[in-house]
Amino acid sequence: MSPSEYSSHPVRELMERLNGLIHSAELTDPDLLSSDIVAASLQSVSTILGVTHVQMDRTPAQFVSGYGLTQLQSGFQTVFNELSAFQSNKNLGHLQNAKAQVEQAVMPYLWAFAPIGQESGLAPLSETIGQLSVTASESIRQLVEQRNINLERSAALASQLQEASARIDSLTEAVVQQKADAASTVAVLQKQFAEDESARDTAFNSTLKKFGVDFETMQKASVDAQVKGLASLQASQDQAAQIVQVVGNIGVTGNFQKIATTESDQANRWRLITVAFFVCGIAIAIATFVKFWDQPFTPENSWSVLIRLMYALAIAAPAWYTARESARHRTNADRARQTELELASLGPFIELMPDDKKHQIREELTKRYFGNHVNEHTIEHPVNLKDMRDFALELVKALKK
């Protein structure tokens, strides 16, 4: 047999498909493998399949019979058909038939591989197959034990489920009883509510009739009071028309009154400060004259007198500024009070004039009171420095003489 024919022979693909079928979920079910007969059948198929794989891998193409390989393909195809049929209908007879086909149609044609080196090659294979059988048996045993544990747990869960179902039935009966009690209670409450509602309707209708009589009486009294009130309002309307203008003027002139009061307070405060400065300066000057009144004016005491008089002048000098501030605040107060007086008397003064004359007077006064220029505040020295310098020079010359 040529190497190309040997490597591409259909038996190789069939053996791969058969190997996948043996390891499928249906053929590796622990419940299925727990039977020794079934396990032996599947192990026989798996073992012969493994031996054939080893022979095909170790035997050269020149020592392989093409006829024998074709017969092996036919036998493996029959085994594959039996296992596929079991996978479909779960009939255990197909597994026995598969084992019989292995013994009758596969094993007799293993002569297709020449016996070169078969003894040395089959020894490891037999050992491996034995180990796999032991491992598979142990795995099956563990799976069966785990299945038994799961069955016990399932039985326990079923018992718990039965108890829970009994509790649910008991609770259902309790709920039904409670619903019946609640329905009875609701019926009693509805009956009592209907009786109370009827009593409330009767009381409400009686009260409503009483309120109707009272309302008619009150309405009649209210109409009489409104007629009298309208007459009084008509009489007061004329008086209100006369005092509205006065009230408006008071609102307009109120700010000027506040300004006049504030400016008067400021003027009085600056006046007191001015008086204090003048009193201090005059007191120092008087003390100086009293001290040196009986002493001759000599060069020794002239500087002392001059310095004390300069102190008195320095203390009294701010009085000129405070006096000016007092006069400025007094002027602002008088101006604000005059404006307040004019605005307050404007309304009554022009009340009896024609409307066009009133508008003309208001326009003229608007130009007078609004948009005026505010005078700048300039600081003027209370004493001319040039005059003070001339006075000091003349005083020094006099002292030198």
Side-chain angles (χ1 to χ4, degrees), residues 356-397:
D356 54 349
K357 190 65 175 180
K358 292 180 181 179
H359 295 315
Q360 181 180 359
I361 293 175
R362 287 194 176 97
E363 290 178 0
E364 293 177 356
L365 293 178
T366 301
K367 296 178 182 179
R368 175 181 175 184
Y369 290 115
F370 299 98
N372 296 328
H373 178 70
V374 179
N375 296 329
E376 296 182 358
H377 299 289
T378 58
I379 300 175
E380 298 180 358
H381 297 286
V383 180
N384 194 333
L385 296 179
K386 183 178 179 181
D387 296 339
M388 288 292 296
R389 184 184 63 182
D390 296 339
F391 175 75
L393 292 176
E394 292 297 332
L395 184 60
V396 170
K397 292 179 180 178

Side-chain angles (χ1 to χ4, degrees), residues 169-182:
D169 294 339
S170 177
L171 291 175
T172 303
E173 294 178 359
V175 169
V176 171
Q177 183 63 32
Q178 290 178 359
K179 288 177 65 177
D181 295 341

Side-chain angles (χ1 to χ4, degrees), residues 16-78:
E16 293 295 333
R17 292 170 58 195
L18 183 58
N19 185 54
L21 183 60
I22 291 174
H23 292 88
S24 64
E26 292 81 358
L27 296 177
T28 56
D29 187 6
D31 292 333
L32 179 66
L33 297 177
S34 61
S35 175
D36 293 337
I37 297 175
V38 174
S41 300
L42 293 176
Q43 288 178 2
S44 177
V45 175
S46 179
T47 301
I48 295 302
L49 187 62
V51 170
T52 306
H53 269 295
V54 172
Q55 291 290 356
M56 292 185 71
D57 292 338
R58 295 178 59 85
T59 305
Q62 292 80 4
F63 295 94
V64 177
S65 171
Y67 172 77
L69 204 60
T70 301
Q71 295 301 318
L72 285 174
Q73 177 185 356
S74 177
F76 280 128
Q77 183 64 48
T78 304

Side-chain angles (χ1 to χ4, degrees), residues 89-157:
N89 55 27
K90 302 297 186 298
N91 188 357
L92 296 178
H94 293 294
L95 299 180
Q96 295 296 326
N97 294 336
K99 179 182 179 183
Q101 290 296 324
V102 167
E103 294 175 350
Q104 298 174 8
V106 176
M107 294 179 63
Y109 291 98
L110 290 177
W111 57 264
F113 303 100
I116 299 176
Q118 288 185 4
E119 295 180 357
S120 61
L122 291 176
L125 179 61
S126 300
E127 183 179 356
T128 302
I129 291 172
Q131 292 178 356
L132 290 175
S133 298
V134 173
T135 303
S137 300
E138 181 64 22
S139 299
I140 292 171
R141 184 186 64 80
Q142 292 178 358
L143 289 173
V144 171
E145 292 179 357
Q146 185 64 36
R147 183 196 61 183
N148 295 333
I149 294 173
N150 292 335
L151 290 175
E152 293 177 358
R153 291 180 179 176
S154 298
L157 291 175

